[in-house]
Amino acid sequence: MAKWRQQVTKWLVEKLDLPADAMMDLPRITMIGQLHIYIENHRGVIAFSKEELKLRLKQGNLVIKGQEFVIKTILPEEILLEGSIDGVYYDKAT
């Protein structure tokens, strides 16, 4: 049933030109250089340190690595991180 729902949602996104991030519950990631990263549609913070932020997504995790991280804004599904960002990685293992 879940696979059928996912296929229908994907079809609707393609045919009706709807935003995939909203319809399929995908994360929206906006970076400004290597200094700021804004993530929407996450499912919560798993771990945070000055060198790493790990967020839960609907499917897997998002890992951001760098230095001198500071969380500037945190809301239930949105987060703004500042610091020197070295990399953004998807981890499909949950």
Side-chain angles (χ1 to χ4, degrees):
M1 183 72 163
K3 186 170 180 139
W4 180 82
R5 177 180 277 193
Q6 187 178 17
Q7 289 174 342
V8 169
T9 302
K10 186 176 179 180
W11 183 84
L12 284 171
V13 166
E14 291 173 1
K15 299 300 178 190
L16 299 177
D17 199 28
L18 298 171
D21 60 325
M23 292 297 296
M24 298 177 72
D25 206 18
L26 299 173
R28 178 182 291 217
I29 302 167
T30 307
M31 283 184 66
I32 301 172
Q34 290 180 281
L35 304 175
H36 299 275
I37 187 165
Y38 181 69
I39 300 115
E40 299 174 82
N41 296 335
H42 70 84
R43 299 283 176 117
V45 175
I46 298 170
F48 174 74
S49 70
K50 290 189 179 271
E51 293 83 31
E52 181 179 87
L53 172 65
K54 192 171 195 177
L55 298 172
R56 180 173 292 113
L57 303 176
K58 183 177 180 181
Q59 296 177 343
N61 300 317
L62 182 70
V63 180
I64 303 155
K65 295 191 178 199
Q67 295 91 38
E68 301 176 18
F69 284 163
V70 175
I71 296 175
K72 286 298 201 175
T73 305
I74 187 165
L75 299 168
E77 294 183 357
E78 303 171 19
I79 191 165
L80 173 61
L81 181 71
E82 287 186 357
S84 177
I85 300 164
D86 294 333
V88 179
Y89 310 93
Y90 284 97
D91 179 11
K92 291 185 182 181
T94 55

